[in-house]
């Protein structure tokens, strides 16, 4: 009775195409929704990845900018150090020529000099660069002068930036007498110890050559 009623009251010929169209449209809508959702998820992942890349690039740019500012800040100081040969090796030949030239110009009665082989030290009088080591060259002068001012002229000549960075560690002088003698071997005898310092980056140091004494002779101990 019910089956016949439904069959008789519903025109399936008219409803079937519409039902099929509805089901097809529902499937298309569901498929489109899933596709859009997957695309949205992929887009969010790409956005997150791009944000991470952008943050990384910003960090690199900030690091480069900090490095440039640091380089500009210390550029003048670095040029000064290079000018004074604190970051280069000393030129012993220039030192010898400067000493000989000063001795001849001032007619110093006697002057002997000696260089020790270069040595490497992590610190110098508690000064310890974190990324560099000191390369130390001891230099000894033994002299006979007419008066003490001649030694000041020698030291002033050695302060030439082209001759490197040096420190006067010790000097001893002794007068022969209270009177000044114009002739003879000089009125003041003495000896001085200098240190020439060079900075080199850790891990980039060249092997130190034990080249012995450059010139002069004698042991000028203190």
């Amino acid at each position: 009775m019910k089956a016949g009623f439904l069959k008789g009251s519903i025109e399936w010929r008219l409803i079937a195409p519409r039902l099929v169209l509805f089901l097809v449209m529902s499937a298309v809508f569901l498929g489109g929704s899933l596709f859009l959702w997957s695309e949205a998820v992929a887009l969010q992942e790409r956005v997150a990845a791009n944000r991470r890349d952008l943050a990384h690039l910003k960090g690199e740019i900030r690091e480069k900018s900090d490095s440039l500012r640091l380089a500009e800040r210390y550029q003048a100081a670095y040029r000064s150090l290079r000018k004074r040969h604190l970051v280069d090796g000393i030129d012993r030949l220039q030192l010898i020529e400067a000493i000989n030239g000063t001795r001849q110009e001032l007619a110093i009665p006697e002057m002997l000099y000696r260089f020790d082989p270069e040595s490497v030290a992590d610190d110098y009088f508690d000064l310890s660069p974190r990324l560099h080591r000191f390369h130390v060259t001891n230099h000894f002068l033994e002299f006979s002068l007419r008066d003490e001012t001649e030694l000041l002229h020698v030291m002033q000549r050695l302060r030439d930036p082209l001759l490197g960075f040096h420190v006067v560690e010790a000097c001893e002088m002794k007068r022969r007498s209270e009177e000044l003698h114009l002739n003879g071997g000089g009125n003041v005898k003495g000896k001085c110890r200098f240190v020439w310092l060079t900075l080199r980056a850790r891990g980039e140091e060249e092997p130190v050559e034990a080249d012995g004494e450059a010139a002069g002779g004698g042991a000028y101990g203190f």
Side-chain angles (χ1 to χ4, degrees):
M1 183 71 178
K2 291 182 180 180
F5 173 77
L6 290 174
K7 185 176 180 181
S9 60
I10 298 176
E11 294 291 339
W12 290 104
R13 290 179 308 151
L14 300 175
I15 295 177
R18 292 178 174 81
L19 180 61
V20 171
L21 180 61
F22 173 76
L23 293 175
V24 171
M25 291 181 63
S26 299
V28 171
F29 177 76
L30 181 61
S33 299
L34 291 174
F35 174 77
L36 292 176
W37 177 79
S38 63
E39 286 294 315
V41 171
L43 182 60
Q44 288 178 352
E45 291 178 351
R46 287 197 295 270
V47 169
N50 290 334
R51 285 177 177 173
R52 289 193 297 269
D53 293 341
L54 181 60
H56 179 70
L57 289 175
K58 286 182 177 179
E60 288 188 346
I61 292 173
R62 184 166 52 251
E63 181 180 352
K64 297 296 183 183
S65 300
D66 292 342
S67 298
L68 288 174
R69 282 194 296 268
L70 187 65
E72 291 174 357
R73 183 184 305 172
Y74 291 104
Q75 187 177 23
Y78 182 73
R79 283 200 301 263
S80 176
L81 293 178
R82 285 190 62 85
K83 185 178 179 180
R84 301 188 69 183
H85 288 254
L86 186 56
V87 291
D88 292 324
I90 66 169
D91 189 336
R92 299 189 181 194
L93 180 59
Q94 280 189 320
L95 285 174
I96 293 171
E97 290 177 347
I99 295 170
N100 286 337
T102 305
R103 180 178 59 82
Q104 293 171 4
E105 290 173 9
L106 301 177
I108 294 175
E110 182 182 14
M111 181 168 287
L112 302 175
Y113 45 86
R114 191 196 79 201
F115 295 101
D116 276 354
E118 185 181 88
S119 62
V120 181
D122 288 324
D123 62 87
Y124 181 77
F125 279 90
D126 297 328
L127 180 61
S128 180
R130 185 169 59 90
L131 301 178
H132 295 76
R133 285 191 176 94
F134 284 107
H135 284 241
V136 183
T137 301
N138 290 317
H139 176 210
F140 301 88
L141 283 180
E142 188 171 5
F143 46 82
S144 177
L145 310 171
R146 284 183 293 272
D147 62 75
E148 292 84 352
T149 59
E150 290 181 331
L151 180 60
L152 296 178
H153 289 296
V154 175
M155 291 185 175
Q156 184 64 36
R157 182 73 176 269
L158 295 179
R159 289 194 182 99
D160 187 342
L162 296 178
L163 299 179
F165 182 83
H166 75 276
V167 178
V168 182
E169 287 197 336
C171 276
E172 294 179 359
M173 290 189 292
K174 184 178 180 181
R175 273 184 171 273
R176 187 174 68 179
S177 64
E178 293 296 330
E179 298 83 9
L180 292 179
H181 302 270
L182 299 179
N183 298 319
N187 301 293
V188 178
K189 289 190 176 292
K191 50 190 175 182
C192 290
R193 182 177 71 243
F194 303 86
V195 170
W196 258 260
L197 299 173
T198 300
L199 284 175
R200 294 185 188 172
R202 294 176 182 266
E204 297 181 0
E205 298 124 327
E206 299 177 358
V208 177
E209 297 181 0
D211 52 357
E213 296 180 1
Y220 315 143
F222 285 84

